[in-house]
Amino acid sequence: MARVALVTGGTRGIGAAISKALKAAGYKVAANYAGNDAAAEKFKAETGIAVYKWDVSSFDACAAGVKQVEADLGPIEVLVNNAGITRDTAFHKMTLEQWTAVINTNLGSLFNMTRQVIEGMRARKFGRIISISSINGQKGQFGQVNYSAAKAGDIGFTKALALENAKGGITVNAICPGYINTEMVQAVPKDVLEKNVIPQIPASRLGEPEEIARAVLFLAADEAGFITGSTLTVNGGQYMV
Ligand SMILES: NC(=O)c1ccc[n+]([C@@H]2O[C@H](COP(=O)([O-])OP(=O)(O)OC[C@H]3O[C@@H](n4cnc5c(N)ncnc54)[C@H](OP(=O)(O)O)[C@@H]3O)[C@@H](O)[C@H]2O)c1
C-alpha cells in the first residue's frame, strides 16, 4: 500500500519539488498551501496532486486540514513541514508583526501540524517527520533575527521529538537548505545574489529545489528508520557543521 505524505507549502518552490518527488516515488501526496490559489491550481493541473488550502500558523486550521486530508487519502505517515516565510529587516527596526508572523509560520507550524499526526503515528508505530529548517538557523543571518530564531527552533524541536519517539518507529529529522533557486531567493536583488551570496557558496551556484527533494526522499524511506534527530545540511558547502 502506498504511504500517505503531506507536504506543507507543497505547491510552490521547494515544497512543489518535494511533492512531485514523493509522488514519483509512489507516495499518495497531499500538498498544502496558504493563499496563492492560481499557483496551487496550476500545480494541481500539472501534477494531479491534491491541494489543500489552510494556514499552518493556525492550530485549528491545521486540525481541520489534516482531518480532511486523512478522510480523502488515509492516515498521514510522512509529514513534511516545509511552509515558511521571510519578513527580513534589521532587528532594531523589526515590528512585532514581522517577528510574530515568522515565528508562528516557521516554528509554531511544527507544533500545529505535528501535534495533529503524532498520536496516529505512535499508534501505528510508523512515522516520518521531516522539517525544512535553513542554513540561517544554523549560522544566523543579518536582517533575519526572526527567521534565524524560528529555524534554529525547528532543529531543537526535531531533536527533542526524535528522543521521545525513537522507540516507536517514528523518525524526526531536519534538513537545512542553503540558498535554493525559488521565488523566496529570487526576491533577493540580483546584484546582491551575484556579488554577496553566490561567491560565498563553494559550489558557485544556487541549489535547485529538486536537490532538497532528494534529501526528503532519503529520510522518508522505510529503510531510513535508524536516522533520527539528525540535521541534514544541503548547501553546496557554504556552512559545514
Ligand atoms: N529558498 C531557499 O533558499 C531556502 C533556504 C533555506 C530554507 N528554506 C525554507 O524552505 C521552505 C520552502 O521555501 P521556498 O523557497 O520554497 O518558499 P516559497 O517558494 O516562497 O514557497 C512557500 C510555500 O509555503 C506556503 N506557505 C507560506 N506560508 C504558509 C502558511 N502560513 N500556511 C500554509 N502554507 C504557507 C506557500 O503557499 P502559497 O503558494 O499559498 O503562498 C508556498 O506554497 C521554507 O520553510 C523556507 O524557509 C528556503
Side-chain angles (χ1 to χ4, degrees), residues 75 110 116 123 159 161 168 190 199 207 218 234:
L110 270 60
Q116 315 301 337
K159 291 178 178 175
L161 192 65
K190 199 164 178 279
F218 172 69
V234 187

Side-chain angles (χ1 to χ4, degrees), residues 42-113:
K42 185 165 179 275
F43 170 84
K44 184 179 166 187
E46 285 171 3
T47 64
I49 293 172
V51 299
Y52 296 84
K53 178 172 161 177
W54 75 83
D55 176 0
V56 294
S57 71
S58 158
F59 184 82
D60 292 345
C62 290
V66 166
K67 201 169 162 201
Q68 187 61 56
V69 170
E70 294 201 322
D72 293 349
L73 302 184
I76 292 162
E77 296 165 294
V78 178
L79 170 64
V80 185
N81 289 312
N82 165 77
I85 57 169
T86 51
R87 294 286 184 272
D88 295 356
T89 188
F91 182 71
H92 60 275
K93 295 180 187 161
M94 191 172 287
T95 63
L96 179 60
E97 194 283 329
Q98 289 169 322
W99 168 261
T100 307
V102 170
I103 295 293
N104 290 351
T105 304
N106 297 11
L107 175 59
S109 61
L110 270 60
F111 176 80
N112 298 339
M113 285 302 305

Side-chain angles (χ1 to χ4, degrees), residues 8-16 18 32-37 39-40 52-58 81-86 101 104-106 109 132-136 147 151 154 175-186 206-207 209 212:
T8 68
T11 56
R12 285 199 292 122
I14 292 170
I18 295 170
N32 148 273
Y33 70 104
N36 189 334
D37 295 317
Y52 296 84
K53 178 172 161 177
W54 75 83
D55 176 0
V56 294
S57 71
S58 158
N81 289 312
N82 165 77
I85 57 169
T86 51
N104 290 351
T105 304
N106 297 11
S109 61
I132 309 301
S133 174
S134 168
I135 185 174
N136 293 341
Y147 186 84
K151 293 297 186 181
D154 292 345
I175 294 171
C176 285
Y179 285 81
I180 308 299
N181 191 15
T182 69
E183 284 172 38
M184 183 179 274
V185 161
Q186 285 153 14
L206 298 175
I212 305 306

Side-chain angles (χ1 to χ4, degrees), residues 125 162-170:
K125 300 197 179 313
L163 280 177
E164 289 187 10
N165 289 281
K167 268 191 202 151
I170 300 168

